[in-house]
Amino acid sequence: MGARGRFITFEGGEGAGKSTQIRHLARFLQAQGRQVVLTREPGGSPGAEILRNLVLHGGHDWAPQAEILLHFAIRAEHIARTIRPALDRGDWVLCDRYYDSTMVYQGDGQGGDRDSITQLSAMMGLVPDLTLVLEVPVATSLARLALRGQGTDRYERLGAPFFETVRLGFRRIVADNPARCVLVPADLAEALLADQLAAITRDRLLA
């Protein structure tokens, strides 16, 4: 068996450009000869996608602790079915959101028990090699969501005060985890941002 792959997570508030930039970074890594798996949370495997639809579009107002447990049930399935097998093959896994989003959205934003989130995160036993936190001003998030129109999920509809809590929550995580996390201002041209993320990844994991 070859070397274990690398695990990179993308984090940030709504409309930060994660879905676009994760694809740019995948192309950069493929050009360096890496096999890349793109995935997302909540979701990322057949069973996890079933639970994703329940959490995001099921129309139910979950109790905070129930919602936390649902996210970790999704995560456990995702890790077992998608992430670990890919890493064991030597692939690089790029994931749109991971446990930092649970801490910020369900913990900071919705008042869930942050100690429980920390304990459950440790139980997963899989820490990213690099976390890229994309930040845009709340006004930019709102403007980008407005352009998307209808079909947004329940978190995207929570509004400006929630988005500001999320922004500050991600900043705290970056400050507490400088070896793993990099905060990247993302309110700039798409190509320039892609170049910055590629440079960070190269310096952290390819040098």
Side-chain angles (χ1 to χ4, degrees):
M1 183 178 295
R4 175 186 176 275
R6 297 291 195 143
F7 183 29
I8 301 174
T9 55
F10 278 64
E11 298 284 7
E14 305 303 326
K18 298 183 304 303
S19 298
T20 299
Q21 291 301 326
I22 200 170
R23 293 192 294 269
H24 282 303
L25 187 61
R27 287 191 287 270
F28 166 77
L29 290 169
Q30 288 163 346
Q32 311 304 308
R34 270 61 179 184
Q35 295 295 316
V36 178
V37 172
L38 292 177
T39 190
R40 67 174 182 178
E41 289 203 353
S45 69
E49 289 291 330
I50 292 170
L51 292 173
R52 172 191 172 89
N53 190 58
L54 187 66
V55 171
L56 296 187
H57 306 291
H60 182 73
D61 184 17
W62 299 98
Q65 204 70 348
E67 188 165 322
I68 289 167
L69 291 170
L70 279 167
H71 276 279
F72 277 99
I74 293 168
R75 186 159 298 128
E77 182 75 4
H78 184 205
I79 289 171
R81 306 297 184 187
T82 300
I83 299 176
R84 281 197 187 281
L87 293 175
D88 289 345
R89 291 193 304 265
D91 297 347
W92 286 50
V93 177
L94 308 186
C95 187
D96 186 345
R97 299 201 181 280
Y98 191 55
Y99 56 51
D100 294 316
S101 278
T102 308
M103 178 63 79
V104 171
Y105 277 71
Q106 280 69 53
D108 296 336
Q110 296 183 309
D113 184 352
R114 291 174 55 193
D115 288 339
S116 295
I117 296 170
T118 298
Q119 292 166 10
L120 289 165
S121 297
M123 231 171 70
M124 296 294 100
L126 184 61
V127 179
D129 296 292
L130 173 64
T131 297
L132 300 166
V133 180
L134 276 56
E135 181 183 274
V136 294
V138 169
T140 300
S141 293
L142 293 170
R144 290 178 177 178
L145 290 176
L147 288 174
R148 291 182 190 174
Q150 296 181 353
T152 55
D153 66 45
R154 57 189 291 257
Y155 299 125
E156 293 173 340
R157 294 192 293 266
L158 289 173
F162 182 85
F163 293 168
E164 179 64 11
T165 298
V166 163
R167 188 184 71 82
L168 295 176
F170 279 123
R171 283 201 162 207
R172 186 196 70 251
I173 286 174
V174 172
D176 290 345
N177 300 273
R180 173 174 67 86
C181 299
V182 181
L183 182 69
V184 185
D187 192 16
L188 68 166
E190 180 180 321
L192 179 58
L193 178 57
D195 288 344
Q196 289 189 7
L197 296 176
I200 292 165
T201 303
R202 183 182 61 243
D203 293 345
R204 293 269 182 141
L205 299 181
L206 293 171

